[in-house]
Amino acid sequence: MCSLKTSRPQTIPADGKYHLVRFPFGDDSAEECYDAFGMHPVRQPDGVDAIQLPERSALIWPHTDGWGTLTAMIHWKTPPKDGIFTRNRPTEYRDRFVRDPLNLSTGYDSTATETRPAQDRGPLLHKTHQIFVKPHVPLALMVRHNGRKPVDLELAELKLAIHPAAKPTTAHMRTRPLRLRVPTTSLRMPTGRTLR
């Protein structure tokens, strides 16, 4: 299990591109943060010291193979109105989980992309998705909006729970071909009728 949370504001540019949601290193004292298995390390599994690399703070590195449950929570700050106009405010927000978002291993591979309409307040979003995970393939949460001005994230959470994945075996499979038993029945034609 790895649970990351941050309430430090993050500014998401108005460029129409997806951006990584970053989480501070070593913030285990924060409420709901937990990383007993070292899946959000400063010294990352590929040997890079990420203390000066902000994008690396977005990565969770699974510590084992398995079936992963990803959960995220995103709180967008409500953009201010531009007088009586709202043309600069987003009309939609998007989010996705991404395998290897920085192309460090197997290459960028997004999943669970969702589009959310703008709301008067927020929006406040929650999502869950399940995928197979591997230790050498980092995971991250990415977001974007279509506004004409930058928008802040007020709060973000990213959690990964890894469950052992059962491997198929042939122990319970039949080694002999299956024989179907068809009951024998006598077909009797009604008397007085002949087949032509």
Side-chain angles (χ1 to χ4, degrees):
M1 177 69 192
C2 179
S3 176
L4 306 177
K5 180 177 180 179
T6 181
S7 57
R8 301 178 186 180
Q10 297 182 52
T11 300
I12 307 302
D15 56 7
K17 299 178 181 178
Y18 280 93
H19 294 270
L20 290 162
V21 178
R22 302 178 306 276
F23 298 89
F25 289 114
D27 203 8
D28 292 343
S29 61
E31 184 181 359
E32 298 182 37
C33 286
Y34 178 82
D35 189 24
F37 293 93
M39 291 190 270
H40 187 244
V42 175
R43 186 75 175 182
Q44 304 208 330
D46 61 351
V48 173
D49 187 334
I51 196 67
Q52 300 296 330
L53 302 172
E55 288 191 334
R56 288 274 187 143
S57 69
L59 305 179
I60 288 181
W61 296 79
H63 78 287
T64 187
D65 290 327
W67 184 243
T69 299
L70 286 162
T71 306
M73 189 161 64
I74 308 162
H75 290 190
W76 289 91
K77 184 177 181 180
T78 304
K81 292 184 178 180
D82 301 317
I84 62 172
F85 302 103
T86 58
R87 63 186 177 195
N88 291 325
R89 300 176 72 181
T91 59
E92 70 173 28
Y93 299 84
R94 292 190 181 185
D95 47 78
R96 59 176 42 168
F97 295 117
V98 183
R99 299 179 185 94
D100 193 21
L102 300 178
N103 292 307
L104 304 174
S105 174
T106 56
Y108 187 104
D109 181 17
S110 64
T111 185
T113 299
E114 295 183 82
T115 301
R116 329 278 188 147
Q119 302 171 356
D120 290 339
R121 294 179 62 86
L124 313 178
L125 311 174
H126 181 274
K127 65 188 290 151
T128 300
H129 191 63
Q130 295 181 321
I131 59 173
F132 283 107
V133 298
K134 297 181 178 298
H136 64 281
V137 182
L139 304 166
L141 173 66
M142 300 187 78
V143 297
R144 58 154 283 189
H145 64 85
N146 68 347
R148 297 183 181 182
K149 291 184 177 181
V151 182
D152 285 351
L153 288 182
E154 293 185 312
L155 179 142
E157 294 186 22
L158 178 59
K159 304 174 190 293
L160 171 65
I162 303 175
H163 314 279
K167 296 182 179 178
T169 64
T170 57
H172 301 293
M173 298 177 65
R174 292 180 178 269
T175 57
R176 297 179 300 186
L178 182 64
R179 294 181 180 179
L180 297 176
R181 294 184 179 180
V182 180
T184 54
T185 58
S186 58
L187 300 176
R188 297 179 181 177
M189 297 299 296
T191 56
R193 294 185 183 182
T194 58
L195 292 176
R196 294 183 180 181

